[in-house]
Amino acid sequence: MEVPKTHKGLIYDNPGEISTRLVELDTPTPGPGQVLVKITHSGVCHSDLSLMTKTWSWLPEPVKSGQVGGHEGVGIIAQLGPSCEVSGVKIGDRVGIKWVASACGNCMPCLAGADGICANSEISGYTCPGTFQEYALAPAHYVTPIPEGLASEVAAPLLCGGVTVYSALKKSRAQAGDWVVITGAGGGLGHLGVQLGSRGMGFRIIGLDIGAKESFVKECGAEAFIDVTKFLDDGSKSIADEIMAITGGLGASAAVICSASNAAYAEALSYLRFNGTLVCVGVPGDPQPIAGAYPHAMVGKQLAIVGSTVGNRREAMETLAMAKRVVSTPFRVETVQNINDVFAEMKGGKLQGRVVLDLKSCTC
């Protein structure tokens, strides 16, 4: 496969604001154990927006100007570096690059299957160049094979949003037939969680989001929907009251918080049933302690609060395999020139489903 000396990529040119620029970049040569992937599609994730706008104040340092963004890339292996043969990949394979671009596989978190908190990880679009470019380097051992029959534009958002919410659902302790609440159910993570949870894992999903997304969330598989805007000013009835009514007074077995909302966390413990689990996924820009997490309340109902970051390599493959059967991801393909408009739409909460960039038509 012929590889050009230069290629095009999107950089964050003014971190702190929604601002990207399409530039010419030198095409790297893969080193030992690396592959060069010709990216054809890249999902646009809310985490990209948070990094670019410096919303996550808790990070060790803000994203740097000139960083190539993106972390949900799908493409074809164009070149192999030395010593790649043992990884079982070859030129022409279709693979994915995830949020965790590389995990060492040898630290204690990795050995426990917690790739997302690897002590030596590289993060796409943050600590290493991301997938908003035509060519990207990746470790041969850590790229994710894309199953045949799963379109690249569908697979891309699953490499972060899909595997993240799938891993969270697995940590929820819920069983098939249990009620599971997903907040931010119409967002990039939430709508994938609704589909994977209802159609793939057998959960009865209650979706929470703004009213304009009700039909969309139900189309994804939610059995019930609650419009959170109806409870912002009216204190006569709470979201917890609604969930209790839906679940016959018992409460939900789990709540997976996909929205970056302190308010969503604040109410979650009040509507969980005994042995219920609150799964923390969405991270508010200015996070606050979870309200109601008093020892007597936790002990009295045997509740659990767990954190869940992105899934591991196995969960990524499980997500793609399940998605091929049950996910009909609503996506919109955009050119790279429209990415700032996409980010503005995302920031305004107007985006339904996911946007995927077409890197094949990259032009300055």
Side-chain angles (χ1 to χ4, degrees):
M1 186 180 297
E2 186 176 351
V3 176
K5 293 182 179 180
T6 63
H7 67 277
K8 298 174 182 67
L10 282 165
I11 62 168
Y12 301 141
D13 61 343
N14 191 18
E17 299 181 6
I18 294 177
S19 181
T20 65
R21 183 159 51 93
L22 192 61
V23 299
E24 197 82 17
L25 302 167
D26 291 332
T27 304
T29 300
Q34 290 184 319
V35 296
L36 182 68
V37 181
K38 179 177 173 57
I39 304 292
T40 61
H41 298 83
S42 183
V44 183
C45 180
H46 200 279
S47 297
D48 298 316
L49 175 65
S50 297
L51 285 172
M52 176 178 53
T53 56
K54 298 183 180 180
T55 302
W56 287 343
S57 58
W58 43 269
L59 289 175
E61 59 181 30
V63 71
K64 294 180 174 62
S65 178
Q67 175 66 267
V68 178
H71 60 271
E72 295 179 337
V74 174
I76 305 297
I77 294 179
Q79 282 185 349
L80 300 176
S83 307
C84 282
E85 295 79 7
V86 295
S87 299
V89 296
K90 63 184 183 299
I91 291 175
D93 283 354
R94 193 165 57 118
V95 297
I97 298 174
K98 305 178 290 298
W99 167 259
V100 177
S102 175
C104 70
N106 296 316
C107 66
M108 291 304 292
C110 280
L111 293 173
D115 301 15
I117 51 175
C118 168
N120 306 296
S121 65
E122 292 283 354
I123 305 300
S124 296
Y126 178 51
T127 66
C128 68
T131 59
F132 291 163
Q133 57 178 332
E134 292 180 294
Y135 287 88
L137 289 176
H141 79 280
Y142 208 69
V143 292
T144 301
I146 307 299
E148 279 189 42
L150 185 64
S152 296
E153 57 267 36
V154 175
L158 297 168
L159 292 167
C160 176
V163 67
T164 295
V165 75
Y166 172 74
S167 183
L169 288 166
K170 285 180 66 175
K171 294 182 178 75
S172 71
R173 301 195 297 182
Q175 304 294 315
D178 286 348
W179 287 104
V180 174
V181 173
I182 296 180
T183 71
L189 280 174
H191 87 284
L192 292 171
V194 172
Q195 293 179 77
L196 292 168
S198 62
R199 301 169 184 165
M201 305 170 87
F203 302 148
R204 303 179 72 183
I205 301 294
I206 302 172
L208 272 61
D209 214 312
I210 62 174
K213 297 186 179 183
E214 179 173 1
S215 61
F216 170 61
V217 172
K218 287 185 174 178
E219 286 170 7
C220 287
E223 189 169 336
F225 179 87
I226 296 175
D227 180 358
V228 297
T229 63
K230 292 183 177 179
F231 303 91
L232 296 180
D233 301 315
D234 181 10
S236 63
K237 199 172 185 180
S238 68
I239 289 174
D241 292 332
E242 287 287 308
I243 292 173
M244 287 298 179
I246 292 169
T247 60
L250 291 175
S253 294
V256 180
I257 311 300
C258 293
S259 55
S261 165
N262 285 306
Y265 282 103
E267 189 155 28
L269 291 176
S270 65
Y271 59 68
L272 290 178
R273 65 180 293 171
F274 67 92
N275 289 344
T277 304
L278 168 58
V279 188
C280 306
V281 182
V283 182
D286 181 24
Q288 300 172 10
I290 296 174
Y294 299 106
H296 71 274
M298 304 298 293
V299 170
K301 292 174 69 177
Q302 295 190 154
L303 301 178
I305 299 175
V306 300
S308 185
T309 184
V310 293
N312 56 34
R313 282 183 290 177
R314 175 177 176 174
E315 288 171 332
M317 290 186 282
E318 290 174 350
T319 300
L320 293 174
M322 181 181 289
K324 184 178 175 181
R325 295 184 290 106
V326 305
V327 170
S328 53
T329 308
F331 63 88
R332 189 173 88 223
V333 177
E334 290 280 2
T335 63
V336 294
Q337 288 80 5
N338 294 335
I339 189 169
N340 287 344
D341 292 336
V342 171
F343 278 132
E345 189 178 352
M346 183 182 289
K347 186 176 181 179
K350 300 175 182 177
L351 197 62
Q352 290 191 0
R354 295 298 297 268
V355 168
V356 178
L357 296 184
D358 179 2
L359 275 298
K360 302 190 301 299
S361 57
C362 216
T363 56
C364 287

